[in-house]
Structures are given as C-alpha cells and as structure tokens.
C-alpha cells in the first residue's frame, strides 16, 4: 500500500467485480443503441478504459474536460466545461470517476441536453450522495461512498496517485499539512 494511503477502500478485485456488473447492466440498456460514452477528464480515464472493455456491444468513446479541484480538496464554485461532442439524437452515457457536490455533472448534463440527444444518463464509479448540492443523480453507480477523500483508480490529489490500482483514502495530513 502507498505510504500516503490511510486504508484501501476498494481493492482491485472489488473494482474488477463491480465493473463487470455495471457492464452487464449497461448491456441490457444499450446493446442495440450504439451509445456514446463520454469520459470526464482526467479522473475517469481509468474507469472508462475498464468499463468499455467489459462492454461487449457497439459503442463510441469521447472525452470532455471539466474543471477540477486544482490543488485544493474542495470543489470550486465555478465549473468550466470544454465541449465538443456531437450529441444530437445519440444515446449519451456520461462516465465519471466520482460524483461529489454534483456541480460538474449538472453543468455538463445541461450542456449536452441543449444538443437534443436521444438520452443522457450518468455512470459514476463512486457516489458521495450525502455531499450532493446540485440536482443531479447517477443512473449507474459503482459504489455509494462516504465523504472521505479518495485517491487512485484515476482519482488524484494535486495530480498524484491516479495510477494506484486500488481506491484508497488519503491520509488527512497530506492535504492538511499543518494538521488543521
Ligand atoms: P463535484 O462537481 O463536486 O461533483 O466534483 C466532482 C469532481 O471532484 C470529480 O470529478 C473529481 O475530480 C473531484 N473529486 C470529488 N471527490 C473527490 C475525491 O474524493 N478524490 C479525488 N477527487 C475528487
Ligand atoms: Mg475529476
């Protein structure tokens, strides 16, 4: 285990199993729809790579960049979304690493809806439901999780730890260096 990780919340095995279950659920909804999976950069890149390989039906892959935490551990009030996906008449699945306040996904979903897609749904690997501020919820969730700060499996703190193969809780002293 990485020295900055307090404990492993979701192991590689648990993640693998859950991704397979999600893919099976997506299969029943999207098998004949040629959906567009839109991964939100950067955090979703690992989950996206596992998810699409577990999905044995035709689909397309796109990525969009949304603003991130930068170097802080809380969501900034403003969310920037760079958009260039042709969504009209397409079935869209937004693939996100973690749903927190929901501000990022609400903004993104609203922008996509303005393009008259056939449908827009959300698949978030982790879901911090008790932190939700925006009116948005995931249609597919890997795990409902507590309000801890997680790293690994694509999730970062200040651009670090994305390459950990498991999801761990970061030691608080890493993001609160003065112990406050
Ligand atoms: P929201 O707009 O508050 O829902 O923020 C969602 C984004 O915040 C995610 O895409 C992540 O980039 C980031 N985020 C939220 N919680 C965590 C966490 O526990 N670890 C790492 N990044 C997180
Ligand atoms: Mg992110």
């Amino acid at each position: 285990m990485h020295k900055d990780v307090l404990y492993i919340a979701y192991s590689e095995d648990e993640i693998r199993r859950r991704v397979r279950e999600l893919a099976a659920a997506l299969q029943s909804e999207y098998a004949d729809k040629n959906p567009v999976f839109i991964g939100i950069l950067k955090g979703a890149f690992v989950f996206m790579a596992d998810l699409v390989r577990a999905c044995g039906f035709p689909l397309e892959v796109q990525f969009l960049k949304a603003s991130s935490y930068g170097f802080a551990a809380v969501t900034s009030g403003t969310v920037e979304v760079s958009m260039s996906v042709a969504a009209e008449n397409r079935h869209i699945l937004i693939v996100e690493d973690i749903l927190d306040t929901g501000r990022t996904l609400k903004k993104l979903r609203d922008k996509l809806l303005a393009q008259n897609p056939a449908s827009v749904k959300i698949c978030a690997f982790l879901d911090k439901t008790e932190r939700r501020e925006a009116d948005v919820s995931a249609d597919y969730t890997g795990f409902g999780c507590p309000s801890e700060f997680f790293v690994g499996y694509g999730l970062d703190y200040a651009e670090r730890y994305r390459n950990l193969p498991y999801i761990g809780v970061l030691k608080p002293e890493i993001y609160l260096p003065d112990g406050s």
Side-chain angles (χ1 to χ4, degrees), residues 69 75 96-104 128 148-150 155-156:
Y69 276 4
T75 308
E96 177 62 304
D97 50 0
I98 187 165
L99 189 46
D100 186 12
T101 65
R103 284 174 175 161
T104 311
K128 292 182 180 170
E148 304 279 5
F149 197 81
F150 298 96
L155 292 158
D156 74 308

Side-chain angles (χ1 to χ4, degrees), residues 136-158:
V136 62
S137 58
D139 301 279
Y140 297 91
T141 302
F143 298 102
C145 67
S147 304
E148 304 279 5
F149 197 81
F150 298 96
V151 292
Y153 200 62
L155 292 158
D156 74 308
Y157 171 66

Side-chain angles (χ1 to χ4, degrees), residues 1-2 5-15 150-151 164-170:
M1 192 172 75
H2 193 288
V5 168
L6 194 59
Y7 63 90
I8 294 177
Y10 307 98
S11 69
E12 287 187 72
D13 272 357
E14 288 173 284
I15 291 171
F150 298 96
V151 292
L164 298 178
Y166 51 82
I167 296 174
V169 169
L170 191 62

